[in-house]
Amino acid sequence: EEVKVKAITHSKDVVKVVLLGVPNQPGVAALIFKVLAEFSIFIDMIIQSEGRETEKDVAFVITKEDEGKAQKAINCLKECLSFREAKFDDSKGKVSIVGAGIASNPRIAYRMFDGLARLGVNIDMISTSNLRISCLIPRDRVEDSVQILHKEFLEEGEVVLRENS
Amino acid sequence: EEVKVKAITHSKDVVKVVLLGVPNQPGVAALIFKVLAEFSIFIDMIIQSEGRETEKDVAFVITKEDEGKAQKAINCLKECLSFREAKFDDSKGKVSIVGAGIASNPRIAYRMFDGLARLGVNIDMISTSNLRISCLIPRDRVEDSVQILHKEFLEEGEVVLRENS
Ligand SMILES: C[C@@H](O)[C@H](N)C(=O)O
Ligand SMILES: C[C@@H](O)[C@H](N)C(=O)O
């Protein structure tokens, strides 16, 4: 099955925000994104994983430009939602591989993760859809990660999309 | 900005697998997906979130058909990777909304999450890409969730894609 990676994209304009320990009950995610919408914050990558039985961590990525607004939004959220801590982390960047059906093939995921591993890059977060696998990694490793992924998947000389595409 | 949801998709053929407490160091994700690739397991939604300082939880979704193979793959992984626990959960289903640029607009995310909240549906996992927002929810709530999302986003009578699209 000829599943092909068509492009490698990256972004350094990334601030990871994590709300740690929100209650795991209906309506909580809606409340968080209602407040973010009221502050018109541009959102990239929403990730909620296993968490714990009664609590979850809700993570999302914003741009540096929106960091101030997001701090205000989180302060506003504190009034109506209990959570343990809100972490802002601007030490990360994002690299993605893009192509139809790539996320369903574990061999493609393995090749991406192995490329990063060979560079000693630690993967902080992973999120996929049927067209894309995205990883948050240390920002200062984005350039060499794009290069190794380019070698691994696009050596035939296909397209590398610029930042933020 | 006219960001439009074009379709609602869903799938009930979902088994969530979570490797809890894997070491947070380079090469671990590569090892996991190398083993999954060796057993030719079809993968949907890979999610790794904040986790803890030295440990992460790596979650992925497989089909029911591959559950036996995945159990064997995890047993094989135990030989070479330390983790606290491997959870298999086949009580979940997936609903997604699809449309260009929808994940970056917090208002769209809010409307999806609020639709599920109004039904009292608890969101177990969330994953997004620029084209899609996907939620894992209790499988027995998939039908009524698709209906409410259809009402919320597609009432103008646009496309609802069938299962597994
Ligand atoms: C947990 C796993 O993702 C690890 N951080 C890695 O880079 O492989
Ligand atoms: C944590 C949050 O996602 C919650 N489970 C909800 O449904 O809103």
Side-chain angles (χ1 to χ4, degrees), chain B residues 17-128:
Chain B
V17 183
V18 189
L19 291 177
L20 292 161
V22 302
N24 182 16
Q25 58 205 29
V28 167
L31 178 59
I32 294 168
F33 286 87
K34 185 174 177 201
V35 173
L36 293 174
E38 281 164 9
F39 283 79
S40 309
I41 292 167
F42 183 89
I43 301 281
D44 186 28
M45 283 177 92
I46 304 170
I47 298 185
Q48 175 189 310
S49 186
E50 189 55 12
R52 286 150 295 280
E53 208 45 46
T54 55
E55 286 185 347
K56 295 272 187 187
D57 303 328
V58 176
F60 51 91
V61 167
I62 59 173
T63 60
K64 286 209 198 88
E65 186 186 333
D66 281 352
E67 190 168 4
K69 277 196 299 190
Q71 302 262 13
K72 287 203 187 89
I74 299 294
N75 285 336
C76 168
L77 204 51
K78 278 187 188 144
E79 308 290 320
C80 49
L81 178 69
S82 76
F83 50 87
R84 245 180 316 114
E85 184 194 346
K87 276 171 71 169
F88 282 71
D89 176 357
D90 66 359
S91 70
K92 300 290 181 294
K94 183 172 79 163
V95 287
S96 305
I97 57 174
V98 186
I102 61 170
S104 50
N105 180 340
R107 209 171 141 58
I108 301 252
Y110 159 64
R111 287 171 60 200
M112 180 183 193
F113 302 152
D114 186 59
L116 299 176
R118 290 201 304 272
L119 285 176
V121 170
N122 194 31
I123 303 168
D124 182 63
M125 284 196 175
I126 305 169
S127 170
T128 66

Side-chain angles (χ1 to χ4, degrees), chain A residues 4 7 10 21 45 57 67 78 81 100 105 107 111 122 130 133 136 145 151 154 161-162:
Chain A
K4 256 183 120 44
H10 69 284
M45 282 177 93
D57 303 329
E67 190 169 4
K78 278 188 188 142
L81 178 69
N105 181 339
R107 213 176 135 55
R111 285 171 59 200
N122 194 31
N130 48 349
I133 301 178
L136 285 192
S145 295
K151 239 195 206 68
L154 298 181
L161 302 188
R162 285 298 140 231

Side-chain angles (χ1 to χ4, degrees), chain A residues 94-110:
Chain A
K94 183 173 78 164
V95 287
S96 306
I97 58 174
V98 185
I102 60 169
S104 49
N105 181 339
R107 213 176 135 55
I108 300 253
Y110 160 63

Side-chain angles (χ1 to χ4, degrees), chain A residues 16 26 46 57 62 75 83 107 114 120 162:
Chain A
K16 184 180 78 173
I46 304 170
D57 303 329
I62 59 173
N75 285 337
F83 50 87
R107 213 176 135 55
D114 186 58
R162 285 298 140 231

